[in-house]
Amino acid sequence: MNEQELEKLAGLLKALGEYNRLSLVYNLCDCQAPKNAMCLCECCSIDASGVSRHLKVLAQEGVVLSERKGRETTYSLNRKEVAENLRALADKIDID
Amino acid sequence: MNEQELEKLAGLLKALGEYNRLSLVYNLCDCQAPKNAMCLCECCSIDASGVSRHLKVLAQEGVVLSERKGRETTYSLNRKEVAENLRALADKIDID
DNA sequence: TCAATTATTGCACATTTGCGCAAATGTGAC
DNA sequence: GTCACATTTGCGCAAATGTGCAATAATTGA
């Protein structure tokens, strides 16, 4: 694992390591179809602008995928990649 | 997953989500025996006090276990628990 | 065109964070 | 006790972060 990769992984974990962002991720876990921001807003104690910013961070770090659909933006989890990264780290830490 | 658990998980991820701390964790991954702080210092670009603080954060979040041995403190990874948490999250995000 | 809906951005603010340096603390060796 | 070594803590500082409010897009529908 080189420096860049480590930095990237740290970025992913940091993105996940904030309560409201992790709440958003958990919320997205359970839904099949992508959700828009208004909908995701409801699981958070913060206002829409905050949610927008958090989703932006999550998108930048590759946690979620966003797609503009008309006047709304829908978000979905980048499931495979995120899970893969987490499992790789788990394996590195503790090889069963 | 209730609020406290989510907060705890966020704390764990946040602890891991900082470059130098993640470097420390990676460093600990490869060693069988616990390492002391001076030794861990060498894998970081920061000074001893910074390493001490990072290790304290990691210990508080349950990432590492510390043990005072004479004048030095040795650290080891809390492998099972950390890996378990990461895998649980991975599974939640993407059930294979 | 105009109003409504959804999302984002600018700004300000308080808080947190990571860091180095120096001092303090704890501990073993002599 | 005195010294050396390992670690932690206090302090200050700059940078980053999370947040709300208001203003500004962007887009749809009447």
Side-chain angles (χ1 to χ4, degrees), chain A residues 47-54 56 60 68 75:
Chain A
D47 81 338
S49 73
V51 172
S52 176
R53 276 180 252 259
H54 280 314
K56 191 176 179 182
Q60 279 171 341
R68 187 89 194 198
Y75 296 90

mmCIF file of all heavy atoms in Angstrom, chain A residues 47-54 56 60 68 75, chain C residues 7-11, chain D residues 19-26:
data_model
loop_
_atom_site.group_PDB
_atom_site.id
_atom_site.type_symbol
_atom_site.label_atom_id
_atom_site.label_comp_id
_atom_site.label_asym_id
_atom_site.label_seq_id
_atom_site.Cartn_x
_atom_site.Cartn_y
_atom_site.Cartn_z
ATOM 1 N N ASP A 47 -29.928 20.969 8.276
ATOM 2 C CA ASP A 47 -30.738 21.528 7.200
ATOM 3 C C ASP A 47 -30.249 21.087 5.817
ATOM 4 O O ASP A 47 -29.234 20.421 5.680
ATOM 5 C CB ASP A 47 -30.798 23.054 7.308
ATOM 6 C CG ASP A 47 -29.559 23.708 6.730
ATOM 7 O OD1 ASP A 47 -28.513 23.026 6.631
ATOM 8 O OD2 ASP A 47 -29.627 24.884 6.378
ATOM 9 N N ALA A 48 -31.008 21.464 4.818
ATOM 10 C CA ALA A 48 -30.759 20.959 3.465
ATOM 11 C C ALA A 48 -29.368 21.308 2.944
ATOM 12 O O ALA A 48 -28.736 20.493 2.264
ATOM 13 C CB ALA A 48 -31.822 21.498 2.516
ATOM 14 N N SER A 49 -28.902 22.482 3.294
ATOM 15 C CA SER A 49 -27.589 22.860 2.769
ATOM 16 C C SER A 49 -26.489 21.980 3.351
ATOM 17 O O SER A 49 -25.542 21.617 2.651
ATOM 18 C CB SER A 49 -27.302 24.341 3.043
ATOM 19 O OG SER A 49 -27.023 24.563 4.397
ATOM 20 N N GLY A 50 -26.659 21.645 4.605
ATOM 21 C CA GLY A 50 -25.701 20.755 5.238
ATOM 22 C C GLY A 50 -25.709 19.380 4.600
ATOM 23 O O GLY A 50 -24.659 18.801 4.332
ATOM 24 N N VAL A 51 -26.903 18.890 4.347
ATOM 25 C CA VAL A 51 -27.027 17.584 3.698
ATOM 26 C C VAL A 51 -26.381 17.619 2.323
ATOM 27 O O VAL A 51 -25.646 16.705 1.938
ATOM 28 C CB VAL A 51 -28.509 17.177 3.587
ATOM 29 C CG1 VAL A 51 -28.647 15.924 2.746
ATOM 30 C CG2 VAL A 51 -29.090 16.952 4.970
ATOM 31 N N SER A 52 -26.629 18.688 1.623
ATOM 32 C CA SER A 52 -26.038 18.841 0.297
ATOM 33 C C SER A 52 -24.512 18.767 0.361
ATOM 34 O O SER A 52 -23.865 18.089 -0.431
ATOM 35 C CB SER A 52 -26.472 20.178 -0.302
ATOM 36 O OG SER A 52 -25.839 20.393 -1.539
ATOM 37 N N ARG A 53 -23.972 19.456 1.336
ATOM 38 C CA ARG A 53 -22.516 19.451 1.491
ATOM 39 C C ARG A 53 -21.993 18.066 1.858
ATOM 40 O O ARG A 53 -20.980 17.608 1.321
ATOM 41 C CB ARG A 53 -22.105 20.463 2.546
ATOM 42 C CG ARG A 53 -21.962 21.878 2.009
ATOM 43 C CD ARG A 53 -21.548 22.829 3.115
ATOM 44 N NE ARG A 53 -22.657 23.693 3.494
ATOM 45 C CZ ARG A 53 -22.787 24.951 3.082
ATOM 46 N NH1 ARG A 53 -21.887 25.469 2.294
ATOM 47 N NH2 ARG A 53 -23.812 25.666 3.433
ATOM 48 N N HIS A 54 -22.686 17.411 2.757
ATOM 49 C CA HIS A 54 -22.248 16.076 3.161
ATOM 50 C C HIS A 54 -22.304 15.106 1.984
ATOM 51 O O HIS A 54 -21.401 14.296 1.790
ATOM 52 C CB HIS A 54 -23.123 15.550 4.306
ATOM 53 C CG HIS A 54 -22.738 16.101 5.642
ATOM 54 N ND1 HIS A 54 -21.435 16.172 6.072
ATOM 55 C CD2 HIS A 54 -23.482 16.609 6.653
ATOM 56 C CE1 HIS A 54 -21.400 16.691 7.290
ATOM 57 N NE2 HIS A 54 -22.624 16.978 7.658
ATOM 58 N N LYS A 56 -21.987 15.869 -1.043
ATOM 59 C CA LYS A 56 -20.898 16.238 -1.934
ATOM 60 C C LYS A 56 -19.589 15.577 -1.497
ATOM 61 O O LYS A 56 -18.845 15.036 -2.319
ATOM 62 C CB LYS A 56 -20.738 17.761 -1.934
ATOM 63 C CG LYS A 56 -19.814 18.288 -3.005
ATOM 64 C CD LYS A 56 -19.813 19.816 -2.968
ATOM 65 C CE LYS A 56 -18.881 20.411 -4.001
ATOM 66 N NZ LYS A 56 -18.862 21.885 -3.919
ATOM 67 N N GLN A 60 -17.456 12.886 -3.548
ATOM 68 C CA GLN A 60 -16.042 13.119 -3.867
ATOM 69 C C GLN A 60 -15.168 11.949 -3.455
ATOM 70 O O GLN A 60 -14.192 11.619 -4.119
ATOM 71 C CB GLN A 60 -15.543 14.389 -3.175
ATOM 72 C CG GLN A 60 -15.918 15.665 -3.922
ATOM 73 C CD GLN A 60 -15.601 16.908 -3.097
ATOM 74 O OE1 GLN A 60 -15.448 16.834 -1.880
ATOM 75 N NE2 GLN A 60 -15.513 18.041 -3.761
ATOM 76 N N ARG A 68 -27.999 13.682 -11.749
ATOM 77 C CA ARG A 68 -28.982 14.758 -11.867
ATOM 78 C C ARG A 68 -30.155 14.262 -12.702
ATOM 79 O O ARG A 68 -29.971 13.778 -13.816
ATOM 80 C CB ARG A 68 -28.326 15.966 -12.538
ATOM 81 C CG ARG A 68 -29.182 17.203 -12.569
ATOM 82 C CD ARG A 68 -28.963 18.026 -11.296
ATOM 83 N NE ARG A 68 -29.992 19.047 -11.127
ATOM 84 C CZ ARG A 68 -29.867 20.094 -10.326
ATOM 85 N NH1 ARG A 68 -28.758 20.261 -9.625
ATOM 86 N NH2 ARG A 68 -30.836 20.967 -10.190
ATOM 87 N N TYR A 75 -29.161 10.048 -5.334
ATOM 88 C CA TYR A 75 -27.922 9.462 -4.817
ATOM 89 C C TYR A 75 -28.119 7.979 -4.554
ATOM 90 O O TYR A 75 -29.175 7.547 -4.101
ATOM 91 C CB TYR A 75 -27.522 10.149 -3.519
ATOM 92 C CG TYR A 75 -27.183 11.602 -3.695
ATOM 93 C CD1 TYR A 75 -28.161 12.582 -3.582
ATOM 94 C CD2 TYR A 75 -25.886 11.994 -3.996
ATOM 95 C CE1 TYR A 75 -27.849 13.923 -3.746
ATOM 96 C CE2 TYR A 75 -25.566 13.324 -4.167
ATOM 97 C CZ TYR A 75 -26.555 14.284 -4.041
ATOM 98 O OH TYR A 75 -26.248 15.607 -4.212
ATOM 99 P P DA C 7 -33.348 17.435 -4.214
ATOM 100 O OP1 DA C 7 -32.931 16.114 -4.720
ATOM 101 O OP2 DA C 7 -33.805 17.589 -2.832
ATOM 102 O "O5'" DA C 7 -32.156 18.453 -4.490
ATOM 103 C "C5'" DA C 7 -31.760 18.693 -5.835
ATOM 104 C "C4'" DA C 7 -30.697 19.760 -5.869
ATOM 105 O "O4'" DA C 7 -31.285 21.034 -5.561
ATOM 106 C "C3'" DA C 7 -29.546 19.558 -4.884
ATOM 107 O "O3'" DA C 7 -28.359 19.375 -5.631
ATOM 108 C "C2'" DA C 7 -29.532 20.826 -4.035
ATOM 109 C "C1'" DA C 7 -30.338 21.807 -4.870
ATOM 110 N N9 DA C 7 -31.105 22.783 -4.108
ATOM 111 C C8 DA C 7 -32.083 22.566 -3.183
ATOM 112 N N7 DA C 7 -32.613 23.668 -2.686
ATOM 113 C C5 DA C 7 -31.932 24.681 -3.336
ATOM 114 C C6 DA C 7 -32.017 26.074 -3.268
ATOM 115 N N6 DA C 7 -32.875 26.706 -2.470
ATOM 116 N N1 DA C 7 -31.189 26.795 -4.060
ATOM 117 C C2 DA C 7 -30.330 26.136 -4.867
ATOM 118 N N3 DA C 7 -30.161 24.832 -5.021
ATOM 119 C C4 DA C 7 -31.000 24.158 -4.218
ATOM 120 P P DT C 8 -26.971 19.205 -4.929
ATOM 121 O OP1 DT C 8 -26.119 18.404 -5.826
ATOM 122 O OP2 DT C 8 -27.224 18.782 -3.541
ATOM 123 O "O5'" DT C 8 -26.391 20.683 -4.918
ATOM 124 C "C5'" DT C 8 -26.343 21.402 -6.147
ATOM 125 C "C4'" DT C 8 -25.906 22.822 -5.890
ATOM 126 O "O4'" DT C 8 -26.910 23.499 -5.104
ATOM 127 C "C3'" DT C 8 -24.585 22.971 -5.132
ATOM 128 O "O3'" DT C 8 -23.689 23.675 -5.967
ATOM 129 C "C2'" DT C 8 -24.975 23.741 -3.865
ATOM 130 C "C1'" DT C 8 -26.261 24.427 -4.279
ATOM 131 N N1 DT C 8 -27.235 24.759 -3.210
ATOM 132 C C2 DT C 8 -27.508 26.069 -2.961
ATOM 133 O O2 DT C 8 -26.987 26.990 -3.567
ATOM 134 N N3 DT C 8 -28.437 26.278 -1.956
ATOM 135 C C4 DT C 8 -29.093 25.304 -1.212
ATOM 136 O O4 DT C 8 -29.911 25.617 -0.356
ATOM 137 C C5 DT C 8 -28.750 23.951 -1.532
ATOM 138 C C7 DT C 8 -29.399 22.829 -0.788
ATOM 139 C C6 DT C 8 -27.849 23.742 -2.492
ATOM 140 P P DT C 9 -22.189 23.895 -5.546
ATOM 141 O OP1 DT C 9 -21.365 23.862 -6.762
ATOM 142 O OP2 DT C 9 -21.899 23.002 -4.412
ATOM 143 O "O5'" DT C 9 -22.201 25.399 -5.010
ATOM 144 C "C5'" DT C 9 -22.755 26.428 -5.821
ATOM 145 C "C4'" DT C 9 -22.743 27.745 -5.066
ATOM 146 O "O4'" DT C 9 -23.801 27.753 -4.083
ATOM 147 C "C3'" DT C 9 -21.437 28.034 -4.312
ATOM 148 O "O3'" DT C 9 -21.003 29.330 -4.666
ATOM 149 C "C2'" DT C 9 -21.834 27.938 -2.837
ATOM 150 C "C1'" DT C 9 -23.313 28.279 -2.882
ATOM 151 N N1 DT C 9 -24.173 27.693 -1.809
ATOM 152 C C2 DT C 9 -25.012 28.519 -1.118
ATOM 153 O O2 DT C 9 -25.076 29.720 -1.325
ATOM 154 N N3 DT C 9 -25.797 27.896 -0.174
ATOM 155 C C4 DT C 9 -25.810 26.556 0.133
ATOM 156 O O4 DT C 9 -26.551 26.111 0.999
ATOM 157 C C5 DT C 9 -24.899 25.738 -0.613
ATOM 158 C C7 DT C 9 -24.839 24.266 -0.352
ATOM 159 C C6 DT C 9 -24.131 26.344 -1.540
ATOM 160 P P DG C 10 -19.606 29.882 -4.172
ATOM 161 O OP1 DG C 10 -18.956 30.552 -5.313
ATOM 162 O OP2 DG C 10 -18.900 28.805 -3.447
ATOM 163 O "O5'" DG C 10 -20.045 31.000 -3.133
ATOM 164 C "C5'" DG C 10 -20.998 31.991 -3.533
ATOM 165 C "C4'" DG C 10 -21.192 33.009 -2.419
ATOM 166 O "O4'" DG C 10 -22.137 32.471 -1.451
ATOM 167 C "C3'" DG C 10 -19.936 33.349 -1.626
ATOM 168 O "O3'" DG C 10 -19.971 34.739 -1.302
ATOM 169 C "C2'" DG C 10 -20.037 32.465 -0.387
ATOM 170 C "C1'" DG C 10 -21.545 32.395 -0.170
ATOM 171 N N9 DG C 10 -22.029 31.162 0.436
ATOM 172 C C8 DG C 10 -21.634 29.882 0.139
ATOM 173 N N7 DG C 10 -22.267 28.969 0.825
ATOM 174 C C5 DG C 10 -23.143 29.693 1.629
ATOM 175 C C6 DG C 10 -24.093 29.254 2.588
ATOM 176 O O6 DG C 10 -24.364 28.086 2.934
ATOM 177 N N1 DG C 10 -24.764 30.310 3.172
ATOM 178 C C2 DG C 10 -24.558 31.634 2.873
ATOM 179 N N2 DG C 10 -25.301 32.515 3.539
ATOM 180 N N3 DG C 10 -23.680 32.068 1.975
ATOM 181 C C4 DG C 10 -23.009 31.038 1.403
ATOM 182 P P DC C 11 -18.723 35.473 -0.641
ATOM 183 O OP1 DC C 11 -18.702 36.850 -1.173
ATOM 184 O OP2 DC C 11 -17.539 34.598 -0.729
ATOM 185 O "O5'" DC C 11 -19.168 35.539 0.884
ATOM 186 C "C5'" DC C 11 -20.443 36.097 1.233
ATOM 187 C "C4'" DC C 11 -20.756 35.823 2.688
ATOM 188 O "O4'" DC C 11 -21.219 34.466 2.833
ATOM 189 C "C3'" DC C 11 -19.560 35.967 3.627
ATOM 190 O "O3'" DC C 11 -19.768 37.085 4.480
ATOM 191 C "C2'" DC C 11 -19.504 34.645 4.388
ATOM 192 C "C1'" DC C 11 -20.873 34.029 4.123
ATOM 193 N N1 DC C 11 -20.886 32.536 4.111
ATOM 194 C C2 DC C 11 -21.760 31.859 4.954
ATOM 195 O O2 DC C 11 -22.507 32.496 5.688
ATOM 196 N N3 DC C 11 -21.776 30.495 4.932
ATOM 197 C C4 DC C 11 -20.960 29.839 4.109
ATOM 198 N N4 DC C 11 -21.015 28.499 4.115
ATOM 199 C C5 DC C 11 -20.053 30.516 3.235
ATOM 200 C C6 DC C 11 -20.048 31.855 3.270
ATOM 201 P P DT D 19 -23.039 18.837 10.986
ATOM 202 O OP1 DT D 19 -23.719 18.086 12.052
ATOM 203 O OP2 DT D 19 -23.025 18.313 9.611
ATOM 204 O "O5'" DT D 19 -23.636 20.307 10.948
ATOM 205 C "C5'" DT D 19 -23.738 21.034 12.172
ATOM 206 C "C4'" DT D 19 -24.094 22.476 11.911
ATOM 207 O "O4'" DT D 19 -23.010 23.122 11.220
ATOM 208 C "C3'" DT D 19 -25.295 22.674 10.982
ATOM 209 O "O3'" DT D 19 -26.479 22.750 11.757
ATOM 210 C "C2'" DT D 19 -24.977 24.010 10.293
ATOM 211 C "C1'" DT D 19 -23.533 24.307 10.666
ATOM 212 N N1 DT D 19 -22.668 24.680 9.527
ATOM 213 C C2 DT D 19 -22.239 25.979 9.436
ATOM 214 O O2 DT D 19 -22.554 26.831 10.242
ATOM 215 N N3 DT D 19 -21.441 26.246 8.354
ATOM 216 C C4 DT D 19 -21.037 25.358 7.373
ATOM 217 O O4 DT D 19 -20.321 25.715 6.438
ATOM 218 C C5 DT D 19 -21.525 24.015 7.531
ATOM 219 C C7 DT D 19 -21.146 22.963 6.518
ATOM 220 C C6 DT D 19 -22.300 23.747 8.591
ATOM 221 P P DG D 20 -27.883 22.940 11.056
ATOM 222 O OP1 DG D 20 -28.902 22.453 12.009
ATOM 223 O OP2 DG D 20 -27.832 22.372 9.700
ATOM 224 O "O5'" DG D 20 -28.017 24.515 10.925
ATOM 225 C "C5'" DG D 20 -27.857 25.336 12.086
ATOM 226 C "C4'" DG D 20 -28.108 26.783 11.729
ATOM 227 O "O4'" DG D 20 -27.008 27.274 10.915
ATOM 228 C "C3'" DG D 20 -29.387 27.013 10.911
ATOM 229 O "O3'" DG D 20 -30.051 28.189 11.393
ATOM 230 C "C2'" DG D 20 -28.876 27.192 9.482
ATOM 231 C "C1'" DG D 20 -27.480 27.771 9.685
ATOM 232 N N9 DG D 20 -26.510 27.380 8.667
ATOM 233 C C8 DG D 20 -26.334 26.122 8.140
ATOM 234 N N7 DG D 20 -25.377 26.050 7.252
ATOM 235 C C5 DG D 20 -24.892 27.343 7.177
ATOM 236 C C6 DG D 20 -23.855 27.890 6.372
ATOM 237 O O6 DG D 20 -23.138 27.306 5.554
ATOM 238 N N1 DG D 20 -23.685 29.256 6.598
ATOM 239 C C2 DG D 20 -24.427 29.994 7.495
ATOM 240 N N2 DG D 20 -24.128 31.278 7.575
ATOM 241 N N3 DG D 20 -25.396 29.498 8.250
ATOM 242 C C4 DG D 20 -25.577 28.179 8.037
ATOM 243 P P DC D 21 -31.501 28.571 10.890
ATOM 244 O OP1 DC D 21 -32.251 29.020 12.077
ATOM 245 O OP2 DC D 21 -32.026 27.482 10.041
ATOM 246 O "O5'" DC D 21 -31.239 29.836 9.958
ATOM 247 C "C5'" DC D 21 -30.389 30.887 10.422
ATOM 248 C "C4'" DC D 21 -30.046 31.826 9.282
ATOM 249 O "O4'" DC D 21 -28.975 31.267 8.493
ATOM 250 C "C3'" DC D 21 -31.197 32.093 8.312
ATOM 251 O "O3'" DC D 21 -31.341 33.495 8.133
ATOM 252 C "C2'" DC D 21 -30.778 31.397 7.021
ATOM 253 C "C1'" DC D 21 -29.258 31.435 7.122
ATOM 254 N N1 DC D 21 -28.571 30.339 6.383
ATOM 255 C C2 DC D 21 -27.463 30.634 5.578
ATOM 256 O O2 DC D 21 -27.081 31.794 5.482
ATOM 257 N N3 DC D 21 -26.851 29.620 4.911
ATOM 258 C C4 DC D 21 -27.295 28.366 5.032
ATOM 259 N N4 DC D 21 -26.648 27.418 4.357
ATOM 260 C C5 DC D 21 -28.422 28.052 5.849
ATOM 261 C C6 DC D 21 -29.025 29.051 6.501
ATOM 262 P P DA D 22 -32.642 34.083 7.434
ATOM 263 O OP1 DA D 22 -33.107 35.203 8.271
ATOM 264 O OP2 DA D 22 -33.554 32.967 7.110
ATOM 265 O "O5'" DA D 22 -32.061 34.663 6.074
ATOM 266 C "C5'" DA D 22 -30.857 35.426 6.102
ATOM 267 C "C4'" DA D 22 -30.249 35.450 4.721
ATOM 268 O "O4'" DA D 22 -29.655 34.163 4.422
ATOM 269 C "C3'" DA D 22 -31.254 35.747 3.602
ATOM 270 O "O3'" DA D 22 -30.774 36.818 2.806
ATOM 271 C "C2'" DA D 22 -31.315 34.439 2.804
ATOM 272 C "C1'" DA D 22 -29.950 33.813 3.088
ATOM 273 N N9 DA D 22 -29.926 32.353 2.999
ATOM 274 C C8 DA D 22 -30.789 31.464 3.586
ATOM 275 N N7 DA D 22 -30.514 30.201 3.325
ATOM 276 C C5 DA D 22 -29.396 30.270 2.501
ATOM 277 C C6 DA D 22 -28.616 29.271 1.887
ATOM 278 N N6 DA D 22 -28.865 27.972 2.001
ATOM 279 N N1 DA D 22 -27.566 29.684 1.130
ATOM 280 C C2 DA D 22 -27.332 30.996 1.016
ATOM 281 N N3 DA D 22 -27.993 32.030 1.549
ATOM 282 C C4 DA D 22 -29.031 31.583 2.294
ATOM 283 P P DA D 23 -31.631 37.362 1.595
ATOM 284 O OP1 DA D 23 -31.552 38.838 1.647
ATOM 285 O OP2 DA D 23 -32.934 36.671 1.594
ATOM 286 O "O5'" DA D 23 -30.792 36.865 0.341
ATOM 287 C "C5'" DA D 23 -29.383 37.107 0.328
ATOM 288 C "C4'" DA D 23 -28.753 36.349 -0.822
ATOM 289 O "O4'" DA D 23 -28.793 34.930 -0.554
ATOM 290 C "C3'" DA D 23 -29.466 36.552 -2.164
ATOM 291 O "O3'" DA D 23 -28.489 36.807 -3.170
ATOM 292 C "C2'" DA D 23 -30.183 35.217 -2.401
ATOM 293 C "C1'" DA D 23 -29.257 34.236 -1.692
ATOM 294 N N9 DA D 23 -29.914 33.010 -1.236
ATOM 295 C C8 DA D 23 -31.047 32.905 -0.464
ATOM 296 N N7 DA D 23 -31.401 31.663 -0.204
ATOM 297 C C5 DA D 23 -30.437 30.905 -0.856
ATOM 298 C C6 DA D 23 -30.253 29.510 -0.962
ATOM 299 N N6 DA D 23 -31.070 28.605 -0.396
ATOM 300 N N1 DA D 23 -29.187 29.078 -1.680
ATOM 301 C C2 DA D 23 -28.376 29.985 -2.242
ATOM 302 N N3 DA D 23 -28.457 31.329 -2.211
ATOM 303 C C4 DA D 23 -29.513 31.711 -1.482
ATOM 304 P P DT D 24 -28.976 37.146 -4.665
ATOM 305 O OP1 DT D 24 -28.093 38.205 -5.192
ATOM 306 O OP2 DT D 24 -30.448 37.281 -4.658
ATOM 307 O "O5'" DT D 24 -28.610 35.791 -5.433
ATOM 308 C "C5'" DT D 24 -27.338 35.217 -5.256
ATOM 309 C "C4'" DT D 24 -27.313 33.846 -5.900
ATOM 310 O "O4'" DT D 24 -28.088 32.917 -5.111
ATOM 311 C "C3'" DT D 24 -27.907 33.815 -7.312
ATOM 312 O "O3'" DT D 24 -26.926 33.309 -8.199
ATOM 313 C "C2'" DT D 24 -29.117 32.873 -7.190
ATOM 314 C "C1'" DT D 24 -28.727 32.028 -5.994
ATOM 315 N N1 DT D 24 -29.866 31.405 -5.249
ATOM 316 C C2 DT D 24 -29.906 30.045 -5.135
ATOM 317 O O2 DT D 24 -29.057 29.308 -5.613
ATOM 318 N N3 DT D 24 -30.980 29.553 -4.427
ATOM 319 C C4 DT D 24 -31.999 30.293 -3.846
ATOM 320 O O4 DT D 24 -32.901 29.746 -3.235
ATOM 321 C C5 DT D 24 -31.898 31.725 -4.006
ATOM 322 C C7 DT D 24 -32.947 32.598 -3.421
ATOM 323 C C6 DT D 24 -30.847 32.207 -4.692
ATOM 324 P P DA D 25 -27.190 33.440 -9.775
ATOM 325 O OP1 DA D 25 -25.939 33.031 -10.466
ATOM 326 O OP2 DA D 25 -27.817 34.735 -10.090
ATOM 327 O "O5'" DA D 25 -28.267 32.331 -10.010
ATOM 328 C "C5'" DA D 25 -28.094 31.474 -11.097
ATOM 329 C "C4'" DA D 25 -27.626 30.114 -10.637
ATOM 330 O "O4'" DA D 25 -28.263 29.774 -9.382
ATOM 331 C "C3'" DA D 25 -28.043 29.047 -11.642
ATOM 332 O "O3'" DA D 25 -26.996 28.144 -11.850
ATOM 333 C "C2'" DA D 25 -29.280 28.411 -11.025
ATOM 334 C "C1'" DA D 25 -29.065 28.622 -9.534
ATOM 335 N N9 DA D 25 -30.309 28.861 -8.799
ATOM 336 C C8 DA D 25 -30.892 30.068 -8.523
ATOM 337 N N7 DA D 25 -32.001 29.979 -7.806
ATOM 338 C C5 DA D 25 -32.140 28.622 -7.590
ATOM 339 C C6 DA D 25 -33.115 27.878 -6.884
ATOM 340 N N6 DA D 25 -34.155 28.417 -6.253
ATOM 341 N N1 DA D 25 -32.971 26.538 -6.864
ATOM 342 C C2 DA D 25 -31.924 25.990 -7.491
ATOM 343 N N3 DA D 25 -30.945 26.589 -8.175
ATOM 344 C C4 DA D 25 -31.113 27.923 -8.188
ATOM 345 P P DA D 26 -26.971 27.465 -13.298
ATOM 346 O OP1 DA D 26 -25.671 26.748 -13.412
ATOM 347 O OP2 DA D 26 -27.358 28.485 -14.277
ATOM 348 O "O5'" DA D 26 -28.123 26.373 -13.253
ATOM 349 C "C5'" DA D 26 -27.971 25.231 -12.432
ATOM 350 C "C4'" DA D 26 -29.254 24.437 -12.442
ATOM 351 O "O4'" DA D 26 -30.236 25.082 -11.604
ATOM 352 C "C3'" DA D 26 -29.897 24.303 -13.834
ATOM 353 O "O3'" DA D 26 -30.075 22.927 -14.091
ATOM 354 C "C2'" DA D 26 -31.231 25.045 -13.704
ATOM 355 C "C1'" DA D 26 -31.497 24.957 -12.205
ATOM 356 N N9 DA D 26 -32.329 25.995 -11.617
ATOM 357 C C8 DA D 26 -32.220 27.340 -11.777
ATOM 358 N N7 DA D 26 -33.101 28.028 -11.087
ATOM 359 C C5 DA D 26 -33.845 27.052 -10.437
ATOM 360 C C6 DA D 26 -34.940 27.124 -9.548
ATOM 361 N N6 DA D 26 -35.488 28.264 -9.144
ATOM 362 N N1 DA D 26 -35.445 25.963 -9.080
ATOM 363 C C2 DA D 26 -34.883 24.812 -9.480
ATOM 364 N N3 DA D 26 -33.854 24.618 -10.309
ATOM 365 C C4 DA D 26 -33.375 25.799 -10.753
#
